[in-house]
Amino acid sequence: MPLLFMRCGLCLVFGLWSMGWWTPLSWTVWGGAYAACVVLLVGHRYAVSEFALYLAMFCIGCVMSLQQIPAQCSPTAIRGRVESALGRHALVSSACGRWELQFSEMAPPRGTLLTARAIPARPKPQLPGEPSEQRRIRRIRATPVRVLAWRILDEASTVRPEVFDRFPHGGMLWAFASGQRTDIDPTVKQILKDTGTNHLLAISGMHIGLVSGLIFGGVRWMLWPLIWRGWFWTGKILPRFFGCAVAISYGALVGWPASAQRAVVMVCLVSAASLFGRRLAMGPVLTLVAIVILVHEPSELESLGFQLSFGAVIGMALIVQRITRLVPPDTPLWAVRAVQSMAATLGASLGTLPITAWYFQHWAPISPIANLLAAPILALVAVPSALLGFVLPAPIAHWVLWIGNSAIELGVWILGSMRFSVWHPAVGPWGALGLGLALLLRRKEVMMLGMIGWIVLCGPRQSSAFEVSFLNVGQGDSAHLAWPDGAHWLIDGGPSRNAVLKYIRRMRIKKLDVVVVSHAHADHIGGIVGLGDFPIREIWIPRYPSDMSSAFGQWLIQQSQLGSIIKTADDIVHHSVRVLHPLSGWHAGGGGNLNEESLVFELRYGQWTMLWTGDIETSAEAEILSRLKPVDVLKVPHHGSKKSTSSQFINRTQPQLAIISAGSQNRFQHPHAKSLWRLRRSAVWRTDLHQNIRLRFELDQLFVFSMDSPQQKQIFVTNQKIDRLRIEKD
């Protein structure tokens, strides 16, 4: 029966999750549920009844999601209450439906009543292997909008007492008490992140279980005389009642994040079961808790807090017993507790690895030891001190918070001395699924670890052809080149500081052979600077920046110290490359026009020729006109602006295929209609329409397709275009 219950819960969750892939009509879902119920009633003695039960739970999950109605009115004036908040995003329910508000600052906490003026949000650019933003929006059934102005009507957050401001770590103490982490020292945050202890800032099962356990033990100690006099049931009921009451109050105080919801429901279930001397299996309890949370708010399934919280508990349930059973029976109690603590941390790390490797690509191997040393100090001293400092009068609270602040200083000092290099496991959706399945290999620890290591550490996919991927980085440029000999090039990095780096890690690339920086504008070098100390053999730039103290200049200095070879336009020598601009002695008119000084070069592979143009405009196009030849593929200059792609330039290059990198609904209105008209004789592919575009060069054939919509495809054969599918163009 417990196994059947768990399977039913999984079917319900799968029904919720599937709504990102399809949106059925309500009558089809209700019809499926009705048919399943009929089979259950009529054929309960047959094997098909179990399948019908699973189908019914799947349909119920779909119905739960369909009950959430996206907003249908204009976002010019939104009035509603925050249902959940994470970072700069908040889910708001209003009279006309649900909105996902995107703020320019931290979103207000859960429960806040606000009014906002907003506009429809632009689609978020997405690189290959990233979690799908469109499917997430479809699952939560909300309309995304970007907030222009907003005002709080009813403040839901708890007022921070002045006594917390008297201490250096008052922001961290307040985070333990209220769950609000906006005022924590960034240095402390980085130390916790690098040591794998940043989960201590999230109000999780550890915090709520600790507080509930302390209240339970204290009340039971005070009621001991009653128990001794025979009031046995009073001594059993009251401690559990107060323990659950405090857990519920703590969850309400911190705004009911998913981890707090899970912890509170589990505390109440375990307390009720222990009252009657029953033990609950972890699997059915977790299933029931997930169902309770999702019935109340189906969109919690998309919450990282929900996924990380349940992943951590599942990991501990699967891993801790495997490790503790290896401890000899005569081991001292303190050593057993230490092993259990490290096993719990390791289990939580492995349980959350599918999510962290997919979303964050950050894992600290020192985490088990760091948690063993620092978690007791912070959890057993700092957390109770923060809560007592919140409820006690100011004179007493000052001394209590002083103890908590001292505990934090000690814990941070210990963690600061344990900072080592972190690992960056990176996977896509299928890799995350594989990591999750690896944890289910019961009693096959070697196979489990081998599968995890193979998924995380396997090398990049080797291509037999030359492939060029134009990445959808929004309003900017970035392209990845994979050569048949295993070399990898990166041309520009887009505006985001970490999106391209995560893509490179997800592709299992350990070293970049060439990084090309067309020019030092933010929409091209954001991701380049974000590479940090990633190994690079050569860096090609048009010229050294005039200000070496800028972020880009400092990055060049850092890479030079790490051994990278930096080449300007006059120094670049490669058998497949012919540099066209800017040659020695040329400067843009007026000076400081970085667009006109973009690095322009011709790249040849076999009989195919590509022209890379950066953001050059009229002056640079006229300068290189005499050196241009017809090309097969043109990376259109400056995102297709009206100041570029002149008629003379197009007549000289005669591209068969033109690639435009531009952001969807960008404020510059790129590409311009005039540029598209001048490119009318070429096949035009755009990242704002086709997302991530891949070119595959094979002998006398060139395949062009959208990595997000594989049905969109074109083939070129020795300068002859063959349309396999009709491509919609502007």
Side-chain angles (χ1 to χ4, degrees), residues 11-258:
C11 290
L12 183 142
V13 172
F14 182 69
L16 273 172
W17 176 83
S18 69
M19 299 306 289
W21 300 84
W22 70 311
T23 305
L25 299 175
S26 298
W27 67 267
T28 60
V29 179
W30 284 112
Y34 176 76
C37 292
V38 170
V39 174
L40 282 174
L41 293 175
V42 176
H44 62 279
R45 296 183 180 181
Y46 303 98
V48 72
S49 62
E50 185 172 337
F51 173 77
L53 180 61
Y54 299 152
L55 177 60
M57 296 304 295
F58 173 82
C59 294
I60 291 173
C62 295
V63 170
M64 287 167 54
S65 180
L66 288 176
Q67 288 176 343
Q68 308 294 332
I69 303 175
Q72 303 295 328
C73 55
S74 171
T76 52
I78 298 173
R79 178 189 173 96
R81 192 169 296 277
V82 177
E83 297 293 334
S84 62
L86 179 63
R88 298 182 179 182
H89 295 254
L91 183 64
V92 174
S93 293
S94 68
C96 64
R98 292 155 57 89
W99 307 89
E100 186 186 53
L101 272 59
Q102 301 174 8
F103 294 85
S104 58
E105 54 190 335
M106 294 297 293
R110 181 173 182 162
T112 303
L113 180 65
L114 56 80
T115 179
R117 182 166 58 88
I119 58 175
R122 289 192 292 265
K124 181 182 177 181
Q126 182 176 326
L127 296 182
E130 284 185 342
S132 175
E133 184 72 9
Q134 293 180 352
R135 295 193 186 104
R136 184 188 69 83
I137 292 296
R138 290 180 64 181
R139 288 192 191 103
I140 67 175
R141 306 274 291 172
T143 303
V145 294
R146 182 163 60 90
V147 176
L148 301 178
W150 62 288
R151 181 168 59 92
I152 292 178
L153 302 177
D154 178 18
E155 181 64 66
S157 59
T158 307
V159 179
R160 175 175 170 175
E162 181 270 337
V163 66
F164 281 82
D165 298 329
R166 303 175 187 174
F167 300 94
H169 296 290
M172 192 166 177
L173 288 168
W174 182 240
F176 287 145
S178 67
Q180 301 177 25
R181 294 175 277 178
T182 55
D183 297 327
I184 301 176
D185 185 354
T187 303
V188 174
K189 280 186 177 181
Q190 191 61 43
I191 291 175
L192 295 175
K193 182 179 179 181
D194 292 343
T195 54
T197 54
N198 52 342
H199 65 91
L200 296 173
L201 297 177
I203 306 303
S204 60
M206 181 186 70
H207 299 77
I208 291 178
L210 170 67
V211 173
S212 178
L214 289 176
I215 297 298
F216 171 83
V219 173
R220 188 170 185 177
W221 177 77
M222 289 188 291
L223 294 178
W224 178 251
L226 297 179
I227 300 175
W228 182 71
R229 294 177 63 88
W231 292 22
F232 182 70
W233 278 100
T234 302
K236 290 189 69 174
I237 294 175
L238 287 182
R240 289 169 173 80
F241 171 79
F242 282 105
C244 293
V246 169
I248 295 172
S249 301
Y250 194 11
L253 178 65
V254 299
W256 291 113

Side-chain angles (χ1 to χ4, degrees), residues 454-489:
W454 178 77
I455 292 174
V456 173
L457 301 176
C458 67
R461 176 182 64 89
Q462 189 71 29
S463 175
S464 59
F466 177 48
E467 294 185 346
V468 179
S469 300
F470 291 88
L471 305 178
N472 180 24
V473 292
Q475 184 62 17
D477 267 13
S478 185
H480 166 227
L481 284 62
W483 296 78
D485 61 358
H488 292 274
W489 293 16

